[in-house]
Amino acid sequence: MGHYKRITVEPITGTIGAEIGDVDLTRLDAETVAEIRAAFLEHCVVFFRDQPLEIPQLKEFAGHFGPFGIEPYVKTMEDHPEVIAVVKEADEVNAINFGGHWHSDWSLQENPPLATILHGTDIPPYGGDTLFANSYLAYETLSDGMKAIVDPLIAIHSARKPYGTGKSLLGSKERRSMTILHSEEAHAEMEHPLVRIHPETGKKLLYINPVYTVRLKGMSEKDSSEILDKLFRHSINEIFTCRFRWRKNSVAMWDNRCVMHLALNDYDGHRREMHRVTIAGDRPYGEAMPRNIESPERMSS
Ligand code: SIN
């Protein structure tokens, strides 16, 4: 791509994802950071290879893009409250992995993260790839009639399916190498526009995901699921996705506002460890919930 002077940017599919080269993430000047940000906005998720980052260096890299996000429901690293160690041990056979369903990070928050950065430190010999889906295309490829239906809708997001007190999407509450903090608080609900306008690109996208989007405002879960399930299936059409094969010291940085992702769980018998930080984001807005409205109170279900 011709418009980058400090870095190389090679798209990995025609619709989402690019690998950035010629860069050392521990030695960045302002121009290089600006180019990384431009590539991130252009490709929705960017990848770097051979970046042996210690935790402080990962945090320093993240700091170029904004303050850290808030990490609820998962115990973070002892000395680094901003960092989650995403771990599945070799003997956690049949365990459901963290991030193993399509989602965008913490969409249940009032201000969900702008970006997530993931650094691979212990990578299985095969498997454990991460899939990403482009939510701009999910919206843009709807028919005009369907766009008119979804544009005014408000979606309700909640952490209750993975982190609530009932049966969890994450499977057994014991035997996990990560400490998941299940609570009543996870049953709270948050409203976001179903069609979000990206605050930097100005483009519309479908802002839903099957983990946290639990229903549509003003509809029962059953009625909502008829619309949502159709949109979820449409959003992960393979043409909108890319698949990243990790190596030790690879880094992925995705625009959490316009990307869903999923970690594959196909490496039983092998260990996988990643370090994850998020960058704080803004309150989503769209035609259904214009910008700068007073933030509604968090509702309890
Ligand atoms: C996540 O959902 O943040 C984890 C993704 C991964 O482990 O690949």
Side-chain angles (χ1 to χ4, degrees):
M1 300 256 121
H3 48 291
Y4 297 100
K5 296 193 169 62
R6 300 295 184 111
I7 55 177
T8 59
V9 178
E10 301 284 342
I12 68 165
T13 73
T15 55
I16 179 171
E19 190 163 322
I20 295 184
D22 270 359
V23 70
D24 174 350
L25 299 186
T26 65
R27 299 162 61 86
L28 294 176
D29 57 24
E31 289 79 9
T32 309
V33 170
E35 289 202 354
I36 292 172
R37 188 158 190 129
F40 158 86
L41 290 174
E42 182 174 357
H43 296 282
C44 302
V45 51
V46 289
F47 308 105
F48 307 86
R49 297 291 190 185
D50 305 317
Q51 304 290 333
L53 305 176
E54 299 297 331
I55 301 284
Q57 293 170 317
L58 172 63
K59 289 183 1 181
E60 195 179 328
F61 169 59
H64 290 295
F65 301 95
F68 294 111
I70 294 166
E71 306 300 328
Y73 308 121
V74 183
K75 195 164 182 298
T76 52
M77 292 182 91
E78 205 62 55
D79 299 328
H80 301 284
E82 314 84 358
V83 183
I84 294 178
V86 177
V87 183
K88 189 163 92 83
E89 297 293 347
D91 63 358
E92 284 188 282
V93 176
N94 297 327
I96 294 173
N97 61 331
F98 182 79
H101 298 87
W102 282 106
H103 65 289
S104 64
D105 289 323
W106 306 140
S107 71
L108 60 294
Q109 292 180 329
E110 183 171 345
N111 300 303
L114 171 164
T116 302
I117 300 173
L118 194 64
H119 179 228
T121 60
D122 194 3
I123 304 301
Y126 55 81
D129 297 357
T130 308
L131 274 52
F132 299 89
N134 180 330
S135 306
Y136 292 124
L137 286 176
Y139 177 76
E140 288 164 13
T141 53
L142 294 174
S143 63
D144 288 347
M146 196 64 187
K147 283 180 184 159
I149 291 172
V150 295
D151 273 334
L153 295 178
I154 292 176
I156 309 292
H157 296 241
S158 163
R160 68 174 177 248
K161 288 200 262 174
Y163 303 114
T165 52
K167 190 168 179 297
S168 170
L169 255 190
L170 298 174
S172 163
K173 294 182 181 159
E174 288 92 46
R175 262 197 78 253
R176 289 184 60 83
S177 45
M178 298 173 65
T179 306
I180 303 295
L181 309 168
H182 294 272
S183 68
E184 280 295 338
E185 195 194 309
H187 294 251
E189 297 188 336
M190 178 57 61
E191 293 180 3
H192 292 310
L194 186 104
V195 178
R196 180 177 186 176
I197 297 174
H198 192 288
E200 293 184 78
T201 66
K203 294 196 298 184
K204 285 182 174 179
L205 61 112
L206 275 189
Y207 190 62
I208 50 165
N209 65 89
V211 171
Y212 298 125
T213 313
V214 291
R215 65 186 156 77
L216 297 169
K217 188 172 181 180
M219 286 191 210
S220 66
E221 277 193 33
K222 185 167 174 302
D223 289 347
S224 306
S225 70
E226 281 172 24
I227 299 174
L228 286 174
D229 289 351
K230 184 176 162 63
L231 294 175
F232 292 148
R233 277 197 305 277
H234 170 74
S235 300
I236 55 169
N237 183 317
E238 55 272 24
I239 198 81
F240 311 150
T241 69
C242 70
R243 174 173 179 152
F244 186 59
R245 173 78 194 117
W246 290 93
R247 297 198 298 256
K248 184 177 168 67
N249 292 324
S250 300
V251 173
M253 175 175 168
W254 59 89
D255 188 337
N256 193 52
R257 299 163 294 189
C258 58
V259 165
M260 283 200 293
H261 62 282
L262 170 152
L264 286 171
N265 189 13
D266 54 354
Y267 53 96
D268 273 358
H270 298 284
R271 187 173 192 279
R272 182 177 186 269
E273 176 165 353
M274 325 290 281
H275 295 153
R276 190 186 104 152
V277 293
T278 61
I279 311 296
D282 300 331
R283 185 162 175 80
Y285 63 91
E287 283 170 26
M289 294 178 70
R291 198 172 201 172
N292 296 331
I293 58 165
E294 280 299 306
S295 296
E297 289 299 308
R298 234 177 133 79
M299 301 173 293
S300 288
S301 58

